[in-house]
């Protein structure tokens, strides 16, 4: 399966904002966006001209893709699914992205970043409703229970997780049992609860061209 293997800090610099892809590093002075607030590459420091309407739409799509770690073909598939659903297409798209298992693991506080959550899921450390799931794109639904596998709880990353999670906040659409390293999806998030600076209407306009 294809995946991005380059520097994730370059992705943040290209979008001009923190996408929080490096976990704790993003909150320190080592963050690449804070140190080099310009696009990567030899022409990154050139003064930017006026961005076209298409350019604005493209940047919003790329920002969403990179935030959630989704490749182009998969993102397009999500958009078509969002367009089929009732309601506002842009909000449906964000709800689908938020419902990915790797994102839910991140939102529940079991990982410090989405890339880390994706890796932990791939390695089979989580169950959904008691069954092991190692597919990061798995769509979690309301009332699903996501938990760290019993066999994984004594391993390095999870030994002190309960203590670490006490210092972290969680979203209102999930309920987390920190002691038992489990969480329940109460409902799909509303647009106001998705704290991603994305203008989703521009993505809809891009795919409607």
């Amino acid at each position: 399966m294809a995946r991005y293997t380059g520097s994730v800090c370059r992705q943040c610099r290209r979008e001009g904002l923190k996408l929080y892809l490096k976990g704790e590093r993003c909150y320190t002075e080592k963050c690449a966006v804070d140190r080099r607030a310009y696009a990567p590459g030899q022409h990154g420091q050139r003064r930017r001209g006026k961005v076209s309407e298409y350019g604005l739409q493209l940047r919003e799509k790329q920002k969403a893709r990179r935030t959630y770690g989704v490749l182009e073909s998969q993102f397009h598939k999500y958009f078509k699914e969002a367009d089929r659903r009732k309601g506002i297409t842009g909000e449906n798209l964000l709800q689908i992205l938020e419902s990915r298992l790797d994102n839910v693991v991140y939102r529940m506080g079991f990982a410090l970043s989405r890339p880390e959550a994706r890796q932990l899921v791939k390695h089979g450390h989580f169950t959904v409703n008691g069954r092991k799931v190692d597919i990061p794109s798995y769509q979690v639904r309301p009332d699903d229970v996501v938990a760290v596998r019993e066999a994984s709880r004594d391993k390095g990353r999870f030994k002190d997780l309960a203590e670490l999670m006490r210092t972290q906040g969680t979203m209102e659409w999930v309920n987390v049992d920190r002691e038992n390293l489990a969480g329940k999806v109460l409902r799909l998030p509303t647009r106001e609860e998705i704290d991603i600076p994305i203008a989703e209407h521009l993505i809809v306009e891009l795919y409607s061209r």
Side-chain angles (χ1 to χ4, degrees):
M1 179 180 176
R3 63 188 178 93
Y4 177 77
T5 58
S7 168
V8 294
C9 291
R10 287 176 65 89
Q11 294 185 324
C12 294
R13 289 175 57 205
R14 182 63 187 87
E15 301 307 329
L17 79 165
K18 294 185 180 185
L19 302 179
Y20 298 97
L21 303 177
K22 292 284 284 187
E24 291 180 309
R25 184 187 178 96
C26 299
Y27 299 93
T28 69
E29 60 184 14
K30 293 182 180 180
C31 175
V33 175
D34 292 337
R35 290 188 294 114
R36 291 173 288 180
Y38 51 85
Q42 62 178 342
H43 304 302
Q45 297 187 62
R46 287 185 176 180
R47 183 176 298 175
R48 297 182 180 179
K50 183 178 179 180
V51 181
S52 67
E53 181 181 358
Y54 173 78
L56 292 173
Q57 296 167 349
L58 181 62
R59 289 267 58 82
E60 290 304 307
K61 185 200 71 171
Q62 296 294 76
K63 189 191 305 181
R65 279 188 51 232
R66 288 167 173 167
T67 296
Y68 291 98
V70 178
L71 295 177
E72 179 63 42
S73 59
Q74 193 171 28
F75 191 85
H76 193 195
K77 184 173 71 173
Y78 287 153
F79 177 81
K80 289 192 291 185
E81 171 61 27
D83 196 33
R84 282 195 296 266
R85 294 185 181 183
K86 294 181 179 180
I88 302 173
T89 301
E91 293 185 11
N92 291 342
L93 175 62
L94 292 181
Q95 284 184 337
I96 291 172
L97 291 167
E98 285 285 319
S99 299
R100 286 172 54 96
L101 178 57
D102 55 357
N103 181 76
V104 173
V105 166
Y106 166 69
R107 290 298 196 186
M108 288 182 173
F110 296 131
L112 297 177
S113 67
R114 289 182 181 86
E116 182 186 22
R118 184 157 48 254
Q119 184 181 45
L120 292 174
V121 171
K122 282 184 176 180
H123 289 179
H125 293 301
F126 290 92
T127 63
V128 178
N129 299 327
R131 298 182 61 180
K132 186 180 82 169
V133 178
D134 56 6
I135 303 172
S137 61
Y138 178 89
Q139 287 287 298
V140 180
R141 299 178 180 179
D143 295 327
D144 280 353
V145 176
V146 178
V148 178
R149 289 181 64 206
E150 289 288 346
S152 300
R153 299 189 179 195
D154 293 330
K155 294 183 179 179
R157 175 65 182 85
F158 299 102
K159 282 183 179 179
D160 303 317
L161 186 58
E163 188 64 32
L164 174 64
M165 290 173 66
R166 290 192 179 94
T167 66
Q168 297 176 319
T170 56
M171 310 299 286
E172 293 184 1
W173 53 280
V174 295
N175 183 38
V176 181
D177 182 349
R178 292 179 171 86
E179 297 301 323
N180 294 312
L181 300 183
K184 183 176 182 179
V185 178
L186 303 177
R187 54 179 171 78
L188 294 178
T190 64
R191 179 62 185 94
E192 291 72 25
E193 293 172 320
I194 301 175
D195 57 348
I196 306 289
I198 294 174
E200 64 273 11
H201 69 279
L202 293 178
I203 301 175
V204 176
E205 291 174 5
L206 176 65
Y207 281 116
S208 301
R209 295 175 72 92

